[in-house]
Amino acid sequence: MSESSGPAHRPSAVAGPWSVPVLFRERRPRVVVKADLLPALSVALTLTVFSFPIGLLWSRLAPPERVRIISADGTQGALELESWHRFDDLAVFGFLTLGFGVVVGVVTWLLRERRGPVVFLAAVLGVALASALAMWIGVRMANGHYTITTPPALGSVIELAPRLESWWVLLTGPLGVSVTYSLLATWNGRDDLGRRLG
């Protein structure tokens, strides 16, 4: 009677990962810089054009702060809850630039042959510059819209022009571009971000 009645022990047919030589490695697409510089500059400069409509829209949407004249020399007294409009002015501007950044992120992504970090950075810088110009333009438009031409009477209520008291609000536009473009790039999942049209 044989010691083993089962099939003979055979070596495993599955080879380890080190047994198959890799002759040709897949080439990863490199970041295109030189060819994208001129389109990136065009994107950044084009975005600055939108600073005027954003500033104009903010100067009309942002609520003014109403105050009462409490003395003959023009001293102003705050009305209840009116000081909250100082935050409202920042919030309106922040939402405008955030929405602008999201739209720019989507439109920039649709430039399929130029997808990559160069045009992405140009979009971020262009939105940041457009937001800064929109702040400058919007504040001056609001000041002109709420100009007081005659000295107010004692006890009268006047409206002060909207104002932006923090430069941190300028981060909302670039944030919108960054988040939108990053989500689209992650969703795409290709090494070249789909630049090749084939």
Side-chain angles (χ1 to χ4, degrees), residues 24 46 53 113 135 147 170:
F24 301 100
T46 301
E113 294 182 355
M135 174 184 280
T147 300
L170 295 179

Side-chain angles (χ1 to χ4, degrees), residues 110-174:
L110 293 178
L111 301 174
R112 182 170 181 175
E113 294 182 355
R114 299 301 177 191
R115 289 176 184 172
V118 177
V119 173
F120 163 68
L121 290 176
V124 171
L125 293 176
V127 169
L129 181 59
S131 300
L133 289 174
M135 174 184 280
W136 186 80
I137 293 171
V139 169
R140 276 147 187 79
M141 284 186 171
N143 289 336
H145 185 65
Y146 291 96
T147 300
I148 299 175
T149 56
T150 58
L154 181 64
S156 63
V157 175
I158 62 173
E159 293 182 338
L160 300 180
R163 55 192 184 273
L164 296 171
E165 299 178 324
S166 174
W167 286 91
W168 288 102
V169 73
L170 295 179
L171 296 178
T172 57

Side-chain angles (χ1 to χ4, degrees), residues 2 7-8 13 19 25 33 41 58-59 61 68 73 83 93 95 120 128 130 139:
S2 61
S19 62
R25 293 187 180 274
V33 177
L41 183 61
W58 175 82
S59 68
L61 292 178
R68 186 182 301 276
D73 60 357
S83 61
F93 188 85
F95 280 119
F120 163 68
V139 169

